């Protein structure tokens, strides 16, 4: 059976500020991917909320942007949700 | 030895080696004429695989064996789908063979492999260490309370 509410909760969690922070710094997806040691496709998936990064990768992303993980990935943060 | 071969070349090289073995068997069984059909496939397959490995995509990263965490996770999900389909197919084929009173032992091998693979997977992926509940009030709470 399809768990729609579970899927929505998952999508909610995957809202993040990666795209916002990347564009603020004038970085391309490929440049960010190279800095994080992942593929460009993975950066795209994270930005679009299709992939929830592991805790180590979430920390790498947050540290790269000089933010905390909860600032970067907090689903309850109104700014991050937009 | 495999480590000295660039990752992108490993799978195409393996395909070429297995292709050569298969071609040798075909020549032994059916003569040189069989190479006319097999040869192009045996050579083109690894070449296409190698060229595809140079692309900027998930499938190319899998060919190059240079996966990041999402691609590795996707690879595992693909393997899980393949495993489910294969085990389901083998079970259906077994039932069909049983209903048709056909030879059963090839299907029994597949089903036995399914069980062995399941057990092997369970053992390989198990997490070592203590899994007892040591929260306050539980029988093993002394594990943490003595600190």
């Amino acid at each position: 059976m399809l768990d729609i509410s579970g899927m929505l909760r998952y999508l909610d969690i995957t809202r993040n500020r990666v795209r916002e922070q990347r564009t603020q710094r004038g970085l391309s997806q490929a440049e960010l991917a190279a800095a994080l040691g992942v593929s460009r496709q993975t950066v795209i998936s994270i930005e679009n909320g299709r992939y929830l990064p592991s805790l180590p990768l979430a920390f790498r992303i947050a540290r790269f942007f000089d933010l905390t993980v909860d600032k970067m990935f907090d689903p309850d943060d109104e700014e991050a949700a937009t | 030895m495999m480590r000295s071969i660039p990752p992108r070349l490993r799978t195409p090289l393996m395909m070429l080696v297995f292709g050569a073995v298969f071609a040798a068997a075909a020549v032994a069984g059916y003569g040189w004429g069989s190479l006319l059909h097999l040869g192009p496939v045996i050579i083109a397959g690894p070449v296409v695989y190698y060229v595809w490995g140079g692309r900027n995509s998930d499938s190319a990263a899998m060919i190059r064996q240079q996966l990041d965490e999402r691609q590795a996770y996707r690879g595992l999900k693909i393997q899980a789908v393949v495993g489910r389909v294969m085990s389901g197919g083998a079970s259906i084929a077994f039932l069909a063979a049983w209903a048709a009173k056909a030879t059963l032992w090839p299907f029994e091998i597949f089903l036995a492999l399914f069980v062995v693979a399941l057990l092997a997977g369970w053992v390989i992926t198990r997490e070592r260490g203590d899994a007892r509940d040591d929260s306050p009030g539980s029988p093993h709470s002394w594990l943490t309370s003595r600190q």
Side-chain angles (χ1 to χ4, degrees):
Chain A
M1 188 101 92
L2 210 58
D3 179 12
I4 299 291
S5 64
M7 284 170 68
L8 289 175
R9 271 201 309 278
Y10 179 82
L11 288 173
D12 213 32
I13 289 166
T14 55
R15 285 176 181 165
N16 59 69
R17 289 178 163 168
V18 176
R19 177 175 283 134
E20 173 199 313
Q21 290 294 322
R22 177 179 62 76
T23 50
Q24 268 182 18
R25 285 162 172 77
L27 289 168
S28 68
Q29 288 171 329
E31 287 167 335
L32 177 60
L36 296 171
V38 297
S39 65
R40 189 176 54 85
Q41 289 84 2
T42 294
V43 169
I44 294 168
S45 292
I46 293 170
E47 285 187 354
N48 291 336
R50 288 198 303 263
Y51 175 67
L52 190 63
S54 68
L55 204 50
L57 179 56
F59 271 105
R60 282 214 303 278
I61 293 168
R63 282 179 186 148
F64 180 80
F65 290 117
D66 287 323
L67 287 171
T68 56
V69 171
D70 65 321
K71 283 277 180 207
M72 205 76 204
F73 293 97
D74 189 356
D76 297 326
D77 191 329
E78 280 304 311
E79 285 177 60
T82 53
Chain B
M1 184 196 160
M2 282 296 274
R3 286 187 182 172
S4 61
I5 302 167
R8 187 178 163 192
L9 257 178
R10 284 176 198 164
T11 306
L13 217 54
M14 291 277 280
M15 289 168 75
L16 214 53
V17 169
F18 280 112
V21 171
F22 192 70
V27 167
Y30 301 97
W32 290 100
S34 59
L35 273 188
L36 281 175
H37 305 288
L38 279 176
V41 177
I42 288 169
I43 293 168
V47 169
V48 169
Y49 211 74
Y50 179 79
V51 172
W52 194 270
R55 291 161 57 99
N56 185 6
S57 66
D58 285 354
S59 55
M62 286 176 195
I63 290 171
R64 290 194 304 270
Q65 297 175 18
Q66 292 170 331
L67 304 167
D68 65 24
E69 61 171 51
R70 185 188 59 83
Q71 290 162 336
Y73 180 54
R74 193 174 170 204
L76 286 175
K77 286 199 285 189
I78 292 168
Q79 283 180 29
V81 170
V82 171
R84 281 184 182 192
V85 170
M86 294 296 281
S87 56
S91 303
I92 291 167
F94 176 80
L95 288 176
W98 180 68
K101 294 189 169 73
T103 312
L104 288 181
W105 68 263
F107 303 104
E108 286 168 350
I109 288 174
F110 271 108
L111 289 176
L113 267 176
F114 169 74
V115 174
V116 169
L118 189 71
L119 290 173
W122 188 267
V123 170
I124 291 166
T125 60
R126 76 179 163 193
E127 290 160 8
R128 292 174 202 284
D130 201 346
R132 286 177 295 190
D133 181 9
D134 60 2
S135 50
S138 71
H140 298 104
S141 58
W142 60 272
L143 284 170
T144 48
S145 61
R146 66 181 168 179
Q147 290 165 3

